[in-house]
């Protein structure tokens, strides 16, 4: 849990706009005829919150609603849970709905679309933009764990880490035991089909980022004939093991940090005169925090929180300057900015409470995987990480899935969308969190995938500001023109 390499949070950036042509996706023929025929009782949004936990006023045309889903899809007539939805109504000639998942697992689609919706204004002309809190997240039976997140994040020593992981798992079972067996990606994919029907679409048009690519791929595997225009950006390869995932992501973050350091030095960097010195400076800062945490008001910037703070700006090139400024301030004894970066990663609000992002993430990851690494296996993986990118190494971390109260399974690792419309998979060469190699791997597993490559930096391509990527994706989503497999967009 403490290891950031195990997470797939969406890297924030800005959007702007090479395209390709091809045959329209099957959904294109009927899309223009779609009307708002859904069954959701939409109403004004009343509980939107920003990353700081403060209320957010909904933009014009934004509505919220709920639908019901079976707690257990194997028992459709049994107990139900509410799934929270949000939509921004199309501003022009409506094609239908475009459903988003922004990653995580564990990110709130309701809050994210409310904040980020303006970045998709071009698509909003033709589509109702729709997102949701997946099961186990926030308003949709969100996983709660008795206030244990602080303890887990602050546990440093080996005994503390394992004890904190065990207590965390026990608290999750006590507070959310009913939902824990049912928060997996296969269950969420079945919810997606309920959402498709509820918004009145014959086929699901979908834009998934990071973990959202996994959810989309699982949906396409289970409902290939219901796939409309699908884009998966920042692809995840579900077949990798925990160890493989950790090592690959460590390599990705190492490369991202190196790119950051070179860019920082090119612009007169406060952290060092050359990239090697920049990295050494940050490593030294973190090492000192192991024994001398920085006081920030009534809190402390610890080693593990600083680790999260350092990797957070690496998700997008646009946020690299934040890392330089925050680290430079911490070197002078002010840890405020680094602590704020860590809080943005963990979902900690100004009042000290947390969103469910960290608890939901753990619950979904553990259910989606039958692996239960031992302490010895975790230590072995950490040793490999330390050699690749020491900033990510976590000495003595507890492996929460080893204590998890419900078993996992590998059903969500099976990907095969044979029979679906073309699915556009976008991979970024400099992506630290979902490294590029996962994009061609997922494309191959889908059988119907079309690979688009962005030769730039950052986690995800569409929100990078690259005009070629945006035009390629928008042309497909709006006009149904499938890009050529192998389309490449320069940085």
């Amino acid at each position: 849990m403490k290891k950031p390499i195990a997470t797939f949070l969406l890297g924030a950036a800005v959007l702007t706009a090479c395209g390709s042509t091809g045959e329209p996706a099957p959904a294109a023929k009927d899309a223009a005829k779609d009307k708002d025929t859904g069954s959701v009782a939409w109403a004004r949004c009343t509980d939107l919150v920003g990353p700081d936990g403060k209320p957010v006023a909904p933009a014009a045309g934004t509505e919220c609603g709920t639908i019901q889903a079976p707690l257990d899809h194997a028992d459709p007539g049994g107990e139900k849970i509410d799934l929270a939805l949000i939509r921004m109504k199309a501003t022009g000639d409506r094609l239908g709905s475009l459903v988003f998942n922004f990653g995580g697992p564990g990110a709130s689609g309701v809050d994210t679309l409310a904040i980020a919706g303006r970045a998709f204004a071009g698509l909003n002309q033709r589509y109702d933009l729709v997102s949701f809190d997946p099961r186990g997240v926030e308003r949709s039976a969100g996983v709660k764990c008795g206030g244990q997140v602080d303890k887990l994040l602050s546990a440093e020593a080996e005994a503390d880490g394992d004890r904190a992981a065990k207590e965390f798992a026990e608290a999750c079972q006590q507070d959310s035991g009913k939902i824990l067996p049912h928060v997996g990606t296969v269950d969420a994919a079945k919810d997606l089909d309920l959402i498709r029907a509820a918004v009145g679409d014959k086929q699901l048009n979908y834009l998934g980022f990071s973990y959202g690519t996994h959810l989309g791929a699982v949906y396409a595997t289970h409902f290939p004939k219901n796939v409309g225009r699908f884009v998966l950006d920042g692809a995840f390869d579900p077949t990798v093991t925990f160890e493989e995932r950790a090592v690959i992501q460590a390599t990705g973050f190492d490369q991202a940090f190196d790119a950051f350091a070179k860019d920082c030095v090119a612009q007169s960097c406060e952290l060092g005169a050359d990239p090697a010195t920049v990295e050494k400076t940050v490593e030294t800062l973190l090492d000192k925090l192991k024994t001398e945490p920085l006081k920030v008001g009534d809190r402390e910037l610890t080693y593990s929180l600083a680790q999260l703070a350092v990797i957070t700006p690496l998700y997008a090139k646009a946020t690299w300057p934040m890392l330089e400024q925050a680290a430079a301030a911490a070197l002078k004894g002010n840890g405020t900015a680094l602590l704020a970066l860590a809080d943005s990663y963990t979902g900690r609000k100004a009042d000290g409470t947390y969103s469910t992002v960290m608890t939901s993430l753990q619950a979904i990851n553990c259910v989606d995987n039958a692996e239960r690494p031992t302490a010895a296996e975790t230590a072995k993986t950490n040793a490999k990480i330390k050699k690749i990118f020491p900033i990510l190494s976590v000495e003595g971390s507890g492996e929460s899935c080893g204590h998890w109260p419900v078993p996992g399974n590998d059903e969500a690792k099976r990907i095969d969308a044979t029979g679906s419309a073309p699915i556009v998979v976008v991979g970024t060469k400099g992506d630290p969190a979902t490294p590029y190699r996962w994009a061609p791997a997922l494309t191959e597993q889908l059988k119907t995938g079309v690979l688009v490559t962005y030769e730039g930096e950052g986690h995800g391509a569409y929100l990078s500001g690259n005009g070629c990527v945006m035009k390629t994706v928008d042309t497909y989503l709006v006009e149904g023109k499938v890009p050529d497999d192998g389309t490449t967009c320069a940085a």
Side-chain angles (χ1 to χ4, degrees), residues 309-381:
V310 168
I311 72 149
T312 297
L314 295 178
Y315 276 81
K317 187 174 182 178
T319 54
W320 287 355
M322 297 172 65
L323 174 53
E324 178 192 8
Q325 295 158 14
L331 288 167
K332 299 171 184 173
N334 185 346
T336 303
L338 280 181
L339 191 58
L341 285 170
D343 288 348
S344 72
Y345 192 103
T346 61
R348 190 182 192 276
K349 304 172 187 177
D351 63 1
T353 62
Y354 287 83
S355 73
T356 68
V357 65
M358 298 299 278
T359 50
S360 303
L361 179 150
Q362 189 67 25
I364 295 167
N365 277 342
C366 290
V367 170
D368 271 356
N369 207 309
E371 284 186 89
R372 294 294 185 263
T374 64
E377 290 168 336
T378 301
K380 178 183 173 184
T381 300

Side-chain angles (χ1 to χ4, degrees), residues 43 85 88 91-92 143-144 157 188 210 218 250 259 293 354 367 413 418 430 468 472:
L85 277 64
M88 303 179 75
T91 59
V143 173
K144 296 179 175 62
S210 197
V218 172
Y354 287 83
V367 170
K413 292 187 175 186
T418 299
C468 170
T472 300

Side-chain angles (χ1 to χ4, degrees), residues 8 210-211 213-214 234-240 245 434 438-439 442 445:
F8 303 100
S210 197
Y211 163 78
T213 68
H214 185 204
F236 171 57
D237 177 2
T239 66
V240 296
R245 182 190 310 186
T434 50
W438 289 349
L442 182 62
Q445 291 165 37

Side-chain angles (χ1 to χ4, degrees), residues 437-456:
R437 71 181 78 178
W438 289 349
L442 182 62
T443 303
E444 183 177 352
Q445 291 165 37
L446 286 166
K447 305 294 194 297
T448 55
V450 175
L451 179 64
V452 173
T453 298
Y454 170 49
E455 295 180 324

Side-chain angles (χ1 to χ4, degrees), residues 120-453:
F120 305 98
L123 293 171
N124 198 195
Q125 291 179 16
R126 304 303 308 277
Y127 284 104
D128 291 345
L129 306 184
V130 175
S131 194
F132 62 107
D133 288 356
R135 58 174 53 220
V137 176
E138 292 298 329
R139 304 161 185 82
S140 300
V143 173
K144 296 179 175 62
C145 300
Q148 291 288 317
V149 175
D150 265 329
K151 290 184 180 180
L152 197 67
L153 291 171
S154 63
E156 302 286 353
E158 184 170 352
D160 286 346
D162 191 64
R163 182 171 63 249
K166 186 173 186 294
E167 291 175 354
F168 176 79
E170 290 171 348
C172 295
Q173 173 65 18
Q174 181 174 338
D175 284 2
S176 303
K178 183 170 66 175
I179 187 71
L180 291 185
H182 307 294
V183 297
T185 300
V186 173
D187 287 307
K190 293 174 181 178
D191 291 341
L192 258 184
D193 205 53
L194 297 179
I195 293 171
R196 172 200 60 76
V199 299
D201 285 357
K202 295 178 181 177
Q203 292 178 303
L204 179 69
N205 303 308
Y206 179 81
L207 180 49
F209 298 96
S210 197
Y211 163 78
T213 68
H214 185 204
L215 176 58
V218 172
Y219 178 89
T221 297
H222 286 262
F223 303 97
K225 298 301 183 183
N226 291 351
V227 169
R229 298 173 185 173
F230 253 55
V231 178
L232 309 180
D233 182 8
F236 171 57
D237 177 2
T239 66
V240 296
T241 65
F242 275 140
E243 180 178 330
E244 290 169 338
R245 182 190 310 186
V247 170
I248 292 169
Q249 286 187 308
T251 302
F253 277 106
D254 179 54
Q255 293 169 347
F257 190 94
D258 186 55
F260 151 74
K262 290 177 180 176
D263 183 76
C264 190
V265 168
Q267 302 181 54
S268 185
C269 189
E270 289 191 64
L271 305 178
D274 57 79
T277 302
V278 172
E279 183 162 0
K280 186 63 178 176
T281 298
V282 175
E283 288 178 12
T284 301
L285 169 64
L286 291 178
D287 285 342
K288 187 176 181 181
L289 291 171
K290 289 180 180 178
T291 55
E292 300 178 36
L294 278 179
K295 277 284 186 182
V296 180
D298 60 354
R299 299 176 63 199
E300 287 185 336
L301 174 67
T302 62
Y303 169 69
S304 56
L305 288 172
Q307 284 182 297
L308 296 175
V310 168
I311 72 149
T312 297
L314 295 178
Y315 276 81
K317 187 174 182 178
T319 54
W320 287 355
M322 297 172 65
L323 174 53
E324 178 192 8
Q325 295 158 14
L331 288 167
K332 299 171 184 173
N334 185 346
T336 303
L338 280 181
L339 191 58
L341 285 170
D343 288 348
S344 72
Y345 192 103
T346 61
R348 190 182 192 276
K349 304 172 187 177
D351 63 1
T353 62
Y354 287 83
S355 73
T356 68
V357 65
M358 298 299 278
T359 50
S360 303
L361 179 150
Q362 189 67 25
I364 295 167
N365 277 342
C366 290
V367 170
D368 271 356
N369 207 309
E371 284 186 89
R372 294 294 185 263
T374 64
E377 290 168 336
T378 301
K380 178 183 173 184
T381 300
N382 186 65
K384 292 183 178 181
I385 294 167
K386 194 168 185 176
K387 289 180 180 179
I388 298 168
F389 189 43
I391 288 172
L392 274 183
S393 65
V394 183
E395 312 244 342
S397 78
E399 177 49 64
S400 293
C401 284
H403 297 290
W404 204 243
V406 298
N409 66 72
D410 292 334
E411 188 180 359
K413 292 187 175 186
R414 183 181 68 86
I415 303 297
D416 184 346
T418 299
S420 79
I423 298 172
V424 175
V425 179
V426 187
T428 299
K429 284 290 184 73
D431 192 324
T434 50
Y436 177 75
R437 71 181 78 178
W438 289 349
L442 182 62
T443 303
E444 183 177 352
Q445 291 165 37
L446 286 166
K447 305 294 194 297
T448 55
V450 175
L451 179 64
V452 173
T453 298

